[in-house]
Structures are given as C-alpha cells and as structure tokens.
Amino acid sequence: GDAKRWSPLEFAKVAIEFSSIYDIKIFGSKDEANIAEVIEEILVKNNISNFTNLAGQTDISELISHISGLDLFITGDSGPMHIASSFQVPTIAIFGPTQDQHTSQWMNLKSEVVKTNLDCQPCMKRKCPLKHNNCMNFIKAKKVIETVYKIN
C-alpha cells in the first residue's frame, strides 16, 4: 500500500550519495514504474549515469538474480527485502506503518531497519488513516545514508 512507500526524492538523494561507490539499480513493479521514473529523472538532473531502471521489467526469477548479486540493497518493507535477506545482502529497510519486529529481514546479520517512532505506529494500514503518512515522510535520506555507513 501507499503507506509503506518512501519518497522517490529521498531514494534519489541516497542513490546520488552512493553513486560514486555503487552502480544503482532501481527496482519496482509495473505499477511503480512512474515512481521509478521520478527517481531516474532526479539522477539524470544530477549527472548520475551509472544506473539502470528495472521497474516493471523483471519477472521474479530475474529479480532474484539481480538482488542476489547486490553489494547493498535499500528498500521499504517488501518481498524483495526478504529475497535480499535470504542471500545475506547488506540491507537497509525503511519501515513505516508495519511492525519491523515481525516482518523485517529474518536472519540477515547485515541489515538495519530505519524507522520513526511515532505514537501512531505501527498502524498496519495500507493507507495512512491519519492522512499524513508521517511515519515515512519523517524519514530523510540523511538517516538512511548514516545507516549505510554504519553497516559498511
């Protein structure tokens, strides 16, 4: 649901920060292709060219293959997060409305959860019942970047 979706601008800021260290792969479903395009546009405007936008272009086997070879995966609470965990890919998982203690990366020693601690969390809703989505909006790229440096 939309409540679990992090800002494309914030994702792009993180990608820009690490573009000199990593090649960037943008993943997402066909329904998320427009969001991936926003990230892509921001990267292009910032003269970042070492990225591939794979949103809506992979089946599950291809997605698994791509994720298994990553050096770092930054994601929301998602199925691909669990794929990365199964391959022990260093993962930063951004959590908002869901319970990270129950649904975060299982047995991935190279993972961290980034979240806020608001009174309304975890609501477990697909759409923010308070209509502000602050549990995700208050998470900024700076915190994710700091967390990446912490696990590397």
Side-chain angles (χ1 to χ4, degrees):
D2 290 344
K4 291 171 43 172
R5 188 165 289 131
W6 196 41
S7 161
L9 174 60
E10 298 301 315
F11 263 121
K13 288 177 184 177
V14 173
I16 291 164
E17 172 73 18
F18 293 108
S19 64
S20 64
I21 303 168
Y22 302 105
D23 287 330
I24 309 301
K25 291 186 180 181
I26 304 168
F27 299 107
S29 69
K30 287 179 183 172
D31 293 339
E32 297 167 319
N34 59 332
I35 296 165
E37 287 172 8
V38 171
I39 296 169
E40 181 176 350
E41 288 170 10
I42 296 167
L43 295 179
V44 169
K45 284 180 185 172
N46 283 274
N47 299 314
I48 306 299
S49 58
N50 61 322
F51 70 89
T52 306
N53 183 351
L54 297 169
Q57 299 178 36
T58 59
D59 62 26
I60 191 70
S61 337
E62 293 165 330
L63 180 64
I64 290 168
S65 177
H66 283 290
I67 291 174
S68 69
L70 296 176
D71 295 315
L72 174 67
F73 190 48
I74 300 171
T75 181
D77 174 19
S78 63
M81 173 191 72
H82 297 290
I83 294 169
S85 179
S86 71
F87 287 101
Q88 294 294 300
V89 172
T91 301
I92 306 300
I94 302 159
F95 271 74
T98 52
Q99 297 176 356
D100 64 289
Q101 316 89 307
H102 298 279
T103 62
S104 66
Q105 315 92 298
W106 185 66
M107 307 232 356
N108 186 350
L109 302 176
K110 303 171 195 170
S111 68
E112 289 287 331
V113 169
V114 175
K115 65 178 184 172
T116 53
N117 290 302
L118 302 176
D119 290 341
C120 56
Q121 283 177 276
C123 70
M124 302 300 290
K125 303 293 183 188
R126 297 177 72 73
K127 296 253 185 218
C128 177
L130 302 176
K131 298 185 180 9
H132 56 54
N133 211 33
N134 287 344
C135 63
M136 294 301 280
N137 291 333
F138 287 176
I139 299 171
K140 299 301 178 191
K142 181 180 183 216
K143 178 65 175 168
V144 173
I145 291 165
E146 290 169 356
T147 306
V148 170
Y149 285 123
K150 177 181 166 185
I151 70 167
N152 278 340

